[in-house]
Amino acid sequence: MPMRFSGQRVVITGAAGVYGRELSAAFAAEGARLLLADRSEADLAAAVPAGLAPDRVTLHAADLATDTGIDSLIAAAIAGGAPDVLVNNAGIYPFIPLMEVTPAEYDRILGVNTRAPFRLMQGIGRAMAEAGRGAIVNVTSSAAEVIRGNGVPYGASKCALEYLTRAFAIELGPRGVRVNSARPPFAEGSALVSMPPGYAEAVVARALLGRGRRAGAFADAVLFLCSDAADYITGAVLDVGGGGAINRRDGAATRARS
Amino acid sequence: MPRPDRFTGRVGVVTGAASGLGRATAIGLAAEGARLVLFDRDAEGLAETAASCPGSVCVAGDVTAAADHARVLDAAAPLGPIALVATAAGILGPAAPLTDVAEADWDRLFAVNVKGTWLAIRAILPQMLAAGRGAIVTFASGAGLAGNPTMPAYSASKGAVVLLTRSLAVSHVTQGIRANCVCPGPIETPMLRDTFAQAGDAAAVAAREAAFRARNPMGRFGTVDEVAESVLFLLSDAASYITGVALPVDGGKLA
């Protein structure tokens, strides 16, 4: 298999999470040098792809809910030049019924899921534009399209992130930087707050490709969007949810409750 | 960069294979090991495409004729069950206000772009269902996702292709079939040049081309190979959890 990312510098946020690990392994397997960010140094150390030479990975612990954390990551990412790839993968998905969301929870979700990618796209995107090249993928969700009554701030944050994707695509396109959104399959274990029994199963059941997600399926799509094969694709949303976003079989009422 | 692992041993059908996006798709698939039935009304163009697609066979015919799709199945039979379909056949029709579109032109446009896509799928789908496996990529357009003042009739026909594809995806997803569409923006093809040419005199043609370029965030037109790369991705196992999507390949025009 050809190595599509040999020597490229790839920044991945939320690198210790379900998809962060999948993305790190996939980019590493195709020759990339990684800058992995997450909140906990220990979690990051455990997430480094097996067998990856130490000189090909840098770990950066930062809390993207804070400007200090965001600023430190931007500085690390552009030290020594603009990275080739930024994947805004970090996100939080607390399970909260709509009418019980507190202002503090709302701000925290929008902060990590929307404000942090916004600032990272400004800071790292600016360096990419000066270099005249770069690819950014924002990890969004079919929740941007399908209402989940217990994940409304999350869905709103992902809607906003898809909007930001388009705005940054237009802003940075003339300067050689592509910006796209990719929606992963639902993965249990990516939520900070545990979900009630049956909830994850109900969301997974929405997917039309019923066999469940294949490990690596999401990374395959993200790597495609970051590769030269996608060099005329920008401002797009690629849904890797097995058709869940176009599922209208269970009716609007059920969708609002799920 | 060809990845020979992706399509070796698979049989595919490409409509509109004599030129442009269809030709680039066919050449890309063949380079990665697929054996193809190439379908187009232009026999000479088909032969040129086939020269770059080892192991392929050609069927010259009309996508609006069901009988010609039956001939595609006959041609594919010796190769094996059809696992891949790319429906690139399409025409631009009049790039004119809706009030200026002749009824015959409207009918021809929908016959080729919509009925032709449906007929190809209707012919091949039973084989895929029997095998429990199949990947389909239809060719819509950025103009199929947003209203288009330059070519409104074409836009309507491509919008139909998008929902034909999504309906196909939701109808047969539990039977192993994936269906997606690519939505090319301005791609350097004879069709794009025709879009400009229909603007009128030389000044109007130049103005339309300049406007298309100016509206594009990347500030350039795409290449047929850039579209083919996306078609190959969507047909490949790397996209095994992707169905019902309309993927723009448009330099950010729709953003």
Side-chain angles (χ1 to χ4, degrees), chain A residues 53-67:
Chain A
D55 65 343
R56 281 181 50 203
V57 60
T58 303
L59 305 182
H60 189 89
D63 182 355
L64 299 183
T66 68
D67 278 319

Side-chain angles (χ1 to χ4, degrees), chain B residues 92-96 150 191-201 204-205 208:
Chain B
L92 172 64
T150 307
M191 188 187 283
L192 183 66
R193 290 293 143 191
D194 186 21
T195 309
F196 301 152
Q198 291 191 44
D201 62 18
V205 169
R208 183 172 284 182

Side-chain angles (χ1 to χ4, degrees), chain A residues 121 138 160-170 179-181 235-236:
Chain A
M121 283 193 281
N138 292 314
L161 187 52
E162 292 189 352
Y163 178 95
L164 290 176
T165 299
R166 294 160 57 202
F168 276 96
I170 290 169
V179 188
N180 292 290
S181 296

Side-chain angles (χ1 to χ4, degrees), chain B residues 13 15 63 69 85 87 115-125:
Chain B
V13 173
T15 73
V63 286
H69 291 283
V85 177
T87 58
K115 185 182 178 187
T117 301
W118 167 66
L119 283 176
I121 291 164
R122 190 182 71 159
I124 296 164
L125 192 58

Side-chain angles (χ1 to χ4, degrees), chain A residues 212-248:
Chain A
R213 71 188 180 95
R214 167 177 62 82
F218 182 59
D220 281 343
V222 174
L223 266 65
F224 167 73
L225 287 174
C226 294
S227 75
D228 290 344
D231 65 3
Y232 202 54
I233 300 179
T234 193
V237 179
L238 181 56
D239 190 296
V240 197
I246 58 170
N247 185 4
R248 296 291 183 267

